[in-house]
Amino acid sequence: MNRILAGVALLGLTAGAGWAQTNTYGVLMKTLANPFWGAMEQGVRDGAAEAGIEVIVQAVESDQAAEPQLNACNAMLETPMDAFITAAINSTILLPCLKRANEMGIPVVDLDGNLDHEIAAQAGVEIAFSIGSDNVAAGAQAADWLVSQIGAEATGPVLVIEGLAGNITGERRAQGFADRLAELAPGLEIVARLPGDWDRGKAANITNDVLTAHPDLVAIFAANDGMALGAVETVFAAGKQDQVTVIGVDGNSDAVRSIRDGRLDASVAQLPYLVGKQAVENAGRVLAGEEVEDFIYVPTLVLTKDVLEAGTEPLLEYVR
């Protein structure tokens, strides 16, 4: 347990500024316009209902609205809370606000692993724990699946569409994919790694440009499902759906529909519902003075049409 949390437990308080336990958690998401975050919000609310906790949930209009998210963070701290669960748009934007939360004695939870613990510590922020999927492992899992489909001897160009430039989540997914692909199938060459800014339309345009330059493209890895679906649109428009394998990450509801329809080939499901639910559960353990790991990883699952139609995978229970 870090120094702030130990001090909180010692004083018998669960939040700062001298107020007593409120039985309320603040939850700052990215954007609820993305089904991934909508599923995580539902997990948060279900976990809170089971624990008898009230939650105040806020989100901004897009996962690029960094300054508005900082403003929302500061505004939320005007309301008494026992814990603050935050999904930062990037690894630095919320640090001044989260430092303030620490100074108020409020434990900070890093939702979906968007904060770098070393950078946070340098800014004077102590993170109670990070929870999410192992993004490097998720990218590697996508490469594993791709090679299982097209073979370790496959050759040809591959496109990687990253997230917002500077976003640690997208960078880790892309790097995990690239490293594992080089290890398993050295004949598959990543010819472009471009930021799609989590935007479906931008990813579609990137795919169009890369397909023009590399008409023999064999695969696309996109760091989230929205971008993967944009890539799929371009691949189908070019009539290359039988040539290009497209893989996303998140396992959101739009991706599940596309996979069932035979369009998107696969998505590494991050199980955001389970992430949200377990974030609330583990925040309660922190407040009770229990030991919690610094990094809590929720399992991932490669969703394909076969997996969805079989319906036998236990983790499908958490796919939303």
Side-chain angles (χ1 to χ4, degrees):
M1 185 183 297
N2 66 40
R3 293 188 304 276
I4 287 177
L5 298 184
V8 168
L10 182 64
L11 291 171
L13 300 173
T14 52
W19 59 65
Q21 182 173 347
T22 66
N23 216 38
T24 299
Y25 297 173
V27 182
L28 178 59
M29 312 288 282
K30 291 186 181 180
T31 172
L32 298 179
N34 185 323
F36 177 84
W37 296 104
M40 195 174 294
E41 181 199 21
Q42 190 58 55
V44 164
R45 292 192 182 280
D46 287 353
E50 289 180 11
I53 298 294
E54 296 292 328
V55 287
I56 301 169
V57 179
Q58 295 287 333
V60 289
E61 67 272 17
S62 80
D63 47 19
Q64 299 182 49
E67 287 297 330
Q69 192 186 43
L70 175 59
N71 294 337
C73 183
N74 284 316
M76 289 182 74
L77 288 182
E78 299 304 315
T79 300
M81 63 180 72
D82 297 339
F84 198 13
I85 300 172
T86 61
I89 282 176
N90 61 47
S91 61
T92 58
I93 189 63
L94 294 186
L95 294 181
C97 176
L98 300 182
K99 181 180 179 182
R100 180 179 161 214
N102 277 171
E103 290 168 349
M104 296 168 70
I106 303 172
V108 169
V109 174
D110 171 29
L111 187 61
D112 198 42
N114 290 283
L115 296 176
D116 183 299
H117 284 222
E118 290 187 10
I119 292 173
Q122 290 168 8
V125 176
E126 294 194 56
I127 300 169
F129 64 89
S130 291
I131 184 166
S133 302
D134 183 333
N135 286 298
V136 173
Q141 200 170 4
D144 288 340
W145 182 83
L146 174 64
V147 173
S148 76
Q149 300 303 298
I150 66 177
E153 303 304 316
T155 60
V158 175
L159 165 63
V160 173
I161 306 177
E162 301 182 349
L164 191 66
N167 178 269
I168 192 169
T169 301
E171 288 176 354
R172 286 175 173 171
R173 292 175 185 176
Q175 196 59 50
F177 176 82
D179 289 348
R180 184 62 63 85
L181 192 68
E183 175 188 338
L184 296 180
L188 293 173
E189 179 190 2
I190 295 175
V191 293
R193 283 181 60 167
L194 300 168
D197 297 342
W198 308 122
D199 184 83
R200 184 168 178 159
K202 185 169 184 177
N205 291 335
I206 287 171
T207 302
N208 184 65
D209 292 344
V210 174
L211 266 176
T212 300
H214 300 277
D216 56 340
L217 192 72
V218 297
I220 300 170
F221 171 72
N224 83 344
D225 284 336
M227 297 188 299
L229 293 172
V232 164
E233 291 170 7
T234 298
V235 167
F236 270 75
K240 297 201 172 188
Q241 60 269 26
D242 295 328
Q243 170 189 315
V244 183
T245 301
V246 183
I247 312 160
V249 181
D250 285 345
N252 70 33
S253 56
D254 290 343
V256 169
R257 280 192 293 271
S258 184
I259 292 168
R260 288 189 186 278
D261 291 342
R263 295 177 68 84
L264 180 62
D265 293 292
S267 175
V268 182
Q270 298 280 74
L271 306 179
Y273 173 87
L274 195 57
V275 172
K277 192 169 186 292
Q278 290 192 0
V280 172
E281 293 168 353
N282 283 283
R285 294 188 179 99
V286 166
L287 292 168
E290 298 177 21
E291 284 293 328
V292 173
E293 295 291 329
D294 288 343
F295 296 91
I296 299 171
Y297 293 122
V298 173
T300 54
L301 166 68
V302 178
L303 294 179
T304 64
K305 191 169 185 179
D306 287 345
V307 169
L308 290 170
E309 289 180 347
T312 56
E313 167 57 55
L315 288 175
L316 286 174
E317 173 188 355
Y318 302 110
V319 174
R320 297 291 192 273

